[in-house]
Amino acid sequence: MPGTTPASGSTRSRWAGLAVLTLPVILTSMDVTILHIAIPTITRELTPSPSQTLWILDVYGFLLAGLLIVMGNAGDRIGRRRLLLIGAAVFGAASALAAFAPTPEALIAARALMGVGGATLMPSTLSLIRTMFADPAERTRAIGIWTACLAGGIALGPIIGGLLLEAFWWGSVFLVNVPVIAVLLGLAPRLVPEYRGPASSRLDALSVLLSFAAILPIVWAVKTAAEELALTPPALAALTAGVLAGVVFLLRQRRLPTPLVDVGLFADPRFSGAVLGAGLAMFSLVGVMLYSAQYLQLVEGLSPLAAAVATSPVMVFVGGMAVLASVLVRRLGHPLVFGAGAAVAAAGMLAFSRLPAGDGLVLAIVSSAFIGAGISPMMTLSTDVVVASAPPARSGAASALSETAGELGAALGIAVLGSIGTALYRSRVLGGVPGDIPAEAADAVGSSLGAALGVTGHLPAEAAAHLAALARQSFTDGLAAATLTGALILAAAAVLCPLLLRHGERPPPSADPAE
């Protein structure tokens, strides 16, 4: 039996509840990128292998994406606020474990547990907003604020990380989550009413297993191919297994009375365009921010704090455009605003791919700001279309689909774009390493730019300067290839997604002079 529907409360109580719901959104999105600024320090302190470094970065996103659909359905059954509180407790505890992790393996495990907790938070917040704000115009503004917090958290991550690393040890980038979670646990029961959907059927365990069997092997195959610089037989087998599991998963959803993924929703081209846009937007944004943090610190030589300050324009543009998108769409319509945003982001990504191996600070800042300004309305509009298209009883599952697309896009952005850059970096730098460098040192040079610069500290001055220049040039070559790929993907989104969104789109109302 559904609890009290938040939409029946006063306007003041609804917006107060929204303020509380933005807390987990900021935290979970911030955690996607906060490691980008901290990974050079963590690499130096914990000395993870190249594969472990990638898992530290994206195991959170993979678990988040893999569980979002499951948790969205669970929230409809057990209560969305209850799921929110459970997930917040898990996320806070895992953050504390990550802060004091003594080894790379322990940090990976803690990050995985954070992903489990985060997967309960995202669909709970968005589905609660869907039921709290029944009025379409009010809901669009609320989702705009929600998306501003989501995108702002992504941009805020490196800034908060830089400030913390300037004063504390690397674990502080995780420990900062704990007091915010404590505030959430205290305020949510008072300000966020419960809502439970009418669904009573059990979750299909086989569908849950198939969803993991589809996502994780594909990601592992991509990461392994980049590390080995070849599509090895194990990677090819994992890729094949993942694709087959995905096909079986989709076929099974069509036969279930209450599926994990309501495949019928994708019959609406606007829904499909919105979900596709959300995934491609996050794919590009998170991938480029991974390179931005490393470029500013390891190529431009900025401290973590200075690098964080250099990324602040991105946060301003992302947050501002997320709020402005709800105004623009009322005048111009979803397709035009979405397409323009994707085109602006693609142009910014193309400019970012031209960064030199030095003296590229201004170009990095300006191009990143354009990327954020273009992607922000894409995320806002995608979420708005997805949530508005679902009935209240299935809003948890529908919002989980939107968030799954975004989080899976973020995880794949790190894996795919990160792997493209890593593969090109390894091939370039290992091809130019002097023959008199020991084999162990050469392996370290090939693992990452940070490791290569660490090796230079043990070489004579002339050899160190040569190796540092080679490593930085190899890194920017990899950056160029990865971000050019992202630019092409965004350019395709600028054409394809508006075409899908145009189906059934009502023309925007004429501007009201009184506004």
Side-chain angles (χ1 to χ4, degrees):
M1 177 177 175
T4 302
T5 302
S8 63
S10 67
T11 300
R12 182 178 179 180
S13 66
R14 289 198 298 273
W15 291 104
L18 176 65
V20 174
L21 293 178
T22 61
L23 294 177
V25 175
I26 293 172
L27 283 186
T28 51
S29 61
M30 190 172 72
D31 250 74
V32 173
T33 56
I34 197 169
L35 267 188
H36 294 172
I37 209 78
I39 199 65
T41 304
I42 293 175
T43 300
R44 184 171 62 251
E45 296 293 332
L46 295 184
T47 61
S49 68
S51 178
Q52 287 175 328
T53 299
L54 285 177
W55 278 114
I56 289 171
L57 281 166
D58 53 23
V59 69
Y60 171 82
F62 293 144
L63 268 294
L64 199 65
L67 283 169
L68 276 169
I69 294 176
V70 176
M71 295 304 180
N73 281 267
D76 287 335
R77 290 166 169 79
I78 71 172
R80 295 168 186 171
R81 188 184 66 184
R82 178 182 296 177
L83 185 67
L84 176 72
L85 297 176
I86 293 172
V90 172
F91 188 84
S95 297
L97 292 174
F100 299 100
T103 64
E105 293 84 359
L107 181 55
I108 292 170
R111 288 282 290 168
L113 187 59
M114 288 175 68
V116 174
T120 70
L121 299 177
M122 292 300 232
S124 297
T125 57
L126 196 53
S127 58
L128 281 168
I129 288 172
R130 173 64 179 82
T131 53
M132 289 168 69
F133 297 93
D135 178 70
E138 200 175 52
R139 185 181 62 239
T140 297
R141 289 195 295 273
I143 290 177
I145 293 172
W146 183 92
T147 308
C149 293
L150 173 68
I154 291 171
L156 191 64
I159 296 174
I160 297 297
L163 291 170
L164 291 172
L165 291 173
E166 193 75 11
F168 306 105
W169 91 115
W170 61 264
S172 61
V173 303
F174 302 113
L175 203 60
V176 69
N177 296 333
V178 176
V180 181
I181 288 294
V183 172
L184 172 66
L185 292 173
L187 292 180
R190 302 177 184 179
L191 298 177
V192 179
E194 179 65 283
Y195 182 88
R196 184 178 295 108
S200 59
S201 59
R202 290 186 175 183
L203 289 175
D204 181 54
L206 181 56
S207 293
V208 174
L209 294 176
L210 285 170
S211 67
F212 277 102
I215 294 172
L216 296 183
I218 292 175
V219 172
W220 182 86
V222 171
K223 291 160 65 68
T224 301
E227 188 174 351
E228 301 293 335
L229 297 178
L231 186 61
T232 60
L236 182 59
L239 182 64
T240 303
V243 171
L244 291 176
V247 172
V248 174
F249 173 82
L250 292 176
L251 292 175
R252 183 170 180 79
Q253 301 316 294
R254 291 181 176 276
R255 298 197 301 267
L256 294 175
T258 308
L260 279 182
V261 174
D262 189 350
V263 181
L265 289 172
F266 288 95
D268 182 352
R270 298 185 74 237
F271 182 91
S272 299
V275 171
L276 178 64
L280 296 182
M282 288 298 293
F283 179 95
S284 302
L285 177 63
V286 175
V288 78
M289 292 194 73
L290 167 64
Y291 284 105
S292 178
Q294 294 185 74
Y295 180 86
L296 293 174
Q297 291 185 71
L298 302 178
V299 177
E300 292 296 323
L302 301 183
S303 68
L305 179 58
V309 172
T311 62
S312 59
V314 181
M315 183 183 69
V316 174
F317 277 86
V318 166
M321 288 303 300
V323 176
L324 185 60
S326 62
V327 177
L328 293 175
V329 77
R330 290 200 298 270
R331 291 163 170 76
L332 304 175
H334 287 90
L336 182 57
V337 177
F338 192 101
V344 168
M349 190 78 76
L350 183 62
F352 195 89
S353 71
R354 306 299 297 171
L355 287 176
D359 298 324
L361 178 59
V362 174
L363 180 58
I365 295 173
V366 173
S367 59
S368 296
F370 271 87
I371 294 168
I375 284 178
S376 182
M378 293 173 64
M379 291 299 300
T380 303
L381 302 183
S382 297
T383 304
D384 191 23
V385 172
V386 167
V387 174
S389 65
R394 294 291 292 163
S395 63
S399 61
L401 276 176
S402 176
E403 279 309 296
T404 297
E407 296 299 339
L408 184 57
L412 290 177
I414 293 174
V416 175
L417 297 184
S419 295
I420 289 172
T422 297
L424 191 56
Y425 168 81
R426 283 172 58 84
S427 64
R428 294 286 174 85
V429 77
L430 292 178
V433 171
D436 56 349
I437 291 183
E440 183 177 348
D443 289 340
V445 167
S447 65
S448 69
L449 175 58
L453 296 179
V455 170
T456 62
H458 304 283
L459 299 177
E462 184 176 349
H466 170 75
L467 180 58
L470 171 66
R472 288 191 172 99
Q473 185 60 58
S474 300
F475 174 82
T476 53
D477 289 344
L479 177 154
T483 51
L484 183 59
T485 302
L488 294 174
I489 288 173
L490 285 170
V495 176
L496 178 60
C497 293
L499 290 176
L500 294 172
L501 290 170
R502 192 167 286 121
H503 285 268
E505 171 82 354
R506 289 190 296 269
S510 58
D512 185 355
E515 288 184 0

